[in-house]
Amino acid sequence: MIDDLDLGFDEQDRGEKGRHRRGAVRRRQGKSGGSRGKTFLALALALVLLGGIGGGAYYGFDRIQNYFVTPDYDGSGTGEAIVQIKQGALIADMADALVAADVVKSTKAFIEAAEENARSKNIQPGTYKLRKQMSGDAAVTAMLDLKNKIVNGLTIPEGRTAKNVYKLLSEKTDIPVKEFETAAKDPEALGVPDWWFKRSDGKKIKPSIEGFLFPDTYEIPPKATAETVLKLMVENFLSVTGEMKFADRVQAERGGVSPYEALVVASLAQAEAGNKDDLGKVARVAYNRVYGEFPCNCLEMDVTVNYYLELTGQKTKTSKQMTAAELDNPKNPYNRKLRGLVPTPINNPGKQALEGAMDPPPGKWLYFVAIDDKGHSAFADTFEQHQRNEAKAREAGII
């Protein structure tokens, strides 16, 4: 009878009176240097015993084989397969992508091969040119060889507006700017969850992609479309902010400010801070002006005016170049005198700016001015203090 077939249970597991006879085979622990040999030994025993039982029981052999033997291809494969490994992908995620492209026969084949190769942790995200029907070992080896990685990288700097991002992407991919603009009209279709577009200040939101195109270096997949590239950037934004617990911390710690409003503040800090050390302090100034005791509860930041100029196809200007009409245009929804925060982020902030808006340093600052050629600013609680800082900045030739 097959009941007495030893499929890897030890004597302790079998126990007195056959207890644990139906217990599960122990899961292999750690590297499987000798476990594959044991697997094949057990399989061979099963084959012999099943043969002794008779041909009527042979139909069950395939099922036993699948349990003991990892489905895997032999050799280095043939043909060509392009596989994209996403940022933050785990070994199991990579295995899924490889199976879907018929590079490996099973996820288990790749996972086991990766477990046995200490260098597998060095597999990078990106796009790979591999072969179809490779063994798990061959696939791991190929992905560790950077010659098989398709390098088509593009760096998007912090603080670029969506319009500027489209231009950079178009230059790299030859996809027309218009196609990026069309794809960006529906941010939710690109992966931005609808809960992001909520404000606590009662202002209506017209969903915009601005702020969600995370600045980073991207590997652009072959035959990419405007939609797939923007989705890649949004996915990265969600991954980074998720790891930071940005939305949770903002809602818990920022006194009722919504994550979207904090994203607006991060973009303001990214635009105004001349040095990364000041990102959190500038964010604090924005919060203090809008939600504190600033007379107009407005931002009074010229960068919002410049954003409107770029948005409407006009040339951006320095603060000195801006006219009074431009600075205080009542038709401009990004007017610096507008009460509260502006309608949307004004650029795509990086991680440090997001951290500054999520957890700004404590302070009552309402004003700041650049004071050295490295972009550091002096911060002040009162206008009188601010005037003294401005005088120092003029003496140093900064303003």
Side-chain angles (χ1 to χ4, degrees):
M1 296 291 290
I2 198 168
D3 285 349
D4 291 325
L5 178 63
D6 187 345
L7 299 182
F9 301 106
D10 58 23
E11 289 301 316
Q12 184 178 355
D13 286 336
R14 294 173 69 90
E16 295 179 3
K17 299 181 181 179
R19 63 188 179 87
H20 303 320
R21 179 170 293 170
R22 291 179 293 176
V25 176
R26 290 185 175 180
R27 183 172 298 174
R28 184 177 46 173
Q29 300 293 328
K31 293 185 179 180
S32 56
S35 60
R36 287 189 176 181
K38 293 178 181 178
T39 293
F40 286 114
L41 177 59
L43 177 60
L45 287 171
L47 176 59
V48 170
L49 290 174
L50 282 169
I53 292 169
Y58 190 76
Y59 77 94
F61 177 68
D62 283 344
R63 297 179 66 183
I64 295 175
Q65 182 185 35
N66 287 337
Y67 183 84
F68 284 106
V69 179
T70 299
D72 200 359
Y73 292 125
D74 290 325
S76 57
T78 58
E80 182 181 294
I82 304 298
V83 180
Q84 183 185 357
I85 302 300
K86 296 181 179 180
Q87 189 77 30
L90 303 176
I91 291 295
D93 300 321
M94 297 179 191
D96 288 339
L98 293 170
V99 169
D102 194 28
V103 172
V104 296
K105 192 170 187 178
S106 68
T107 57
K108 191 176 179 184
F110 183 77
I111 292 170
E112 287 183 353
E115 287 175 348
E116 293 173 8
N117 190 326
R119 293 181 57 237
S120 64
K121 62 180 180 295
N122 297 326
I123 296 176
Q124 302 174 8
T127 304
Y128 291 83
K129 182 184 289 186
L130 304 171
R131 294 181 177 179
K132 289 183 178 291
Q133 301 187 357
M134 307 175 76
S135 69
D137 290 333
V140 171
T141 301
M143 294 179 74
L144 287 169
D145 186 348
L146 294 183
K147 292 179 181 178
N148 297 315
K149 192 166 185 281
I150 299 172
V151 179
N152 191 21
L154 170 63
T155 298
I156 303 296
E158 292 92 343
R160 297 298 179 96
T161 63
K163 285 178 71 70
N164 191 267
V165 170
Y166 303 153
K167 182 179 178 181
L168 291 174
L169 292 172
S170 181
E171 291 171 353
K172 180 68 177 181
T173 64
D174 291 329
I175 300 172
V177 168
K178 188 67 177 177
E179 292 187 21
F180 287 106
E181 292 173 340
T182 300
K185 288 181 180 179
D186 188 351
E188 292 180 26
L190 294 175
V192 182
D194 60 357
W195 59 261
W196 266 100
F197 298 112
K198 298 185 186 300
R199 297 179 66 136
S200 61
D201 58 8
K203 291 186 178 181
K204 292 183 178 179
I205 294 181
K206 182 180 179 181
S208 167
I209 199 62
E210 198 76 76
F212 297 99
L213 301 177
F214 190 74
D216 204 343
T217 298
Y218 292 90
E219 294 288 342
I220 307 299
K223 300 181 181 179
T225 65
E227 185 178 7
T228 58
V229 174
L230 296 185
K231 280 184 175 180
L232 190 65
M233 300 181 75
V234 169
E235 184 178 326
N236 198 11
F237 170 87
L238 296 175
S239 176
V240 171
T241 54
E243 290 174 2
M244 293 169 59
K245 298 188 183 303
F246 181 85
D248 292 338
R249 289 194 59 185
V250 166
Q251 292 178 104
E253 301 171 19
R254 296 276 64 82
V257 172
S258 74
Y260 189 72
E261 291 165 287
L263 180 59
V264 173
V265 169
S267 73
L268 295 167
Q270 189 76 74
E272 285 281 9
N275 188 287
K276 65 180 182 180
D277 296 336
D278 291 336
L279 287 166
K281 289 183 178 181
V282 174
R284 174 59 71 184
V285 170
Y287 285 129
N288 288 345
R289 286 186 180 183
V290 171
Y291 302 110
E293 298 179 3
F294 200 53
C296 65
N297 286 129
C298 61
L299 288 168
E300 278 200 353
M301 294 181 178
D302 297 347
V303 291
T304 64
V305 177
N306 252 337
Y307 179 69
Y308 178 71
L309 292 177
E310 182 178 348
L311 200 64
T312 53
Q314 303 177 63
K315 187 178 180 180
T316 57
K317 302 179 178 181
T318 64
S319 297
K320 290 181 180 179
Q321 292 172 331
M322 291 181 185
T323 65
E326 288 171 333
L327 286 169
D328 299 312
N329 177 5
K331 295 182 179 180
N332 177 5
Y334 294 86
N335 190 313
R336 66 188 190 131
K337 292 288 187 181
L338 181 76
R339 188 177 182 84
L341 290 172
V342 289
T344 69
I346 63 170
N347 57 47
N348 294 279
K351 185 176 181 180
Q352 288 178 307
L354 290 166
E355 289 172 339
M358 176 182 72
D359 186 24
K364 296 182 180 180
W365 311 298
L366 292 172
Y367 307 93
F368 61 95
V369 61
I371 57 170
D372 64 29
D373 57 6
K374 294 182 179 179
H376 290 100
S377 292
F379 293 78
D381 297 3
T382 67
F383 186 64
E384 290 73 20
Q385 291 174 341
H386 178 59
Q387 287 180 310
R388 290 195 289 272
N389 289 336
E390 283 187 320
K392 292 177 182 178
R394 277 190 288 271
E395 289 176 12
I398 304 302
I399 61 173

